[in-house]
Amino acid sequence: MGTRTPPPFEAFLATQGATVMRFLLVAVGPEHADDAYQETFLSALRAYGRVRDDGRLDRWILRIASRTAIDHHRRRARGPAPMEALPDRAVHDPEPADAALWTAVGALPAKQRVAVVLRHVLDRPYDEIAEALDCSNDAARANVSAGLKALREQMR
């Protein structure tokens, strides 16, 4: 597969935006998905001039989104800031889901959450998960497996 010039960024955003948002809704939660989405595509825009399209731009943007999600969870773990009033929450729930399940997914460690979402929400193969997490295929499988095991235990 040859390398070619990528499509204009606007076209790239139009084709990949919905998938990235779907991933981030689950990976960081609906209340933080918009911010993570913007961070993801700002990072992509900064690097887009150096990118060559080898047919895997979808993997490239999901890798950026995965790192954004992991960074989000690391920042939140370092210390949440209390607020006097809760902000209005945007609603991005095109498919109603089991609230207990999504709460359990939200409680997973960041890498396990990203791996489970990529595998079972976006139906990505393990080699793409490994690429997104910058790990081996075995480590990607282990993260998915550990995440699913934790979900099964929490959902009992």
Side-chain angles (χ1 to χ4, degrees):
M1 185 177 301
T3 302
R4 56 191 184 274
T5 303
F9 190 77
E10 295 80 14
F12 170 71
L13 176 63
T15 51
Q16 298 301 319
T19 300
V20 170
M21 179 56 89
R22 187 172 175 205
F23 167 76
L24 291 169
L25 282 167
V26 179
V28 301
E31 63 277 359
H32 301 287
D34 287 334
D35 290 339
Y37 181 88
Q38 289 178 19
E39 272 185 60
T40 297
F41 278 101
L42 280 174
S43 294
L45 180 60
R46 286 185 200 108
Y48 204 67
R50 299 183 306 272
V51 170
R52 295 294 164 243
D53 185 3
D54 62 357
R56 300 178 344 155
L57 286 176
D58 59 332
R59 291 183 185 192
W60 177 73
I61 194 63
L62 283 174
R63 184 175 188 172
I64 294 170
S66 297
R67 295 216 181 274
T68 300
I70 290 168
D71 289 347
H72 165 81
H73 292 293
R74 287 179 179 156
R75 278 192 307 273
R76 299 226 356 127
R78 284 192 294 249
M83 299 180 350
E84 296 225 4
L86 293 175
D88 292 336
R89 285 182 23 172
V91 177
H92 294 288
D93 193 7
E95 304 171 42
D98 181 359
L101 175 61
W102 293 121
T103 299
V105 170
L108 291 174
K111 281 192 174 187
Q112 289 178 13
R113 180 191 302 196
V114 167
V116 168
V117 171
L118 286 171
R119 182 70 187 133
H120 293 286
V121 175
L122 297 183
D123 198 29
R124 297 293 178 167
Y126 288 105
D127 64 322
E128 287 187 27
I129 298 167
E131 188 175 329
L133 294 175
D134 197 24
C135 65
S136 68
N137 280 1
D138 289 340
R141 287 179 186 277
N143 275 301
V144 171
S145 178
L148 291 176
K149 181 180 178 186
L151 288 175
R152 282 187 202 103
E153 290 172 5
Q154 289 182 37
M155 296 303 294
R156 287 186 186 178

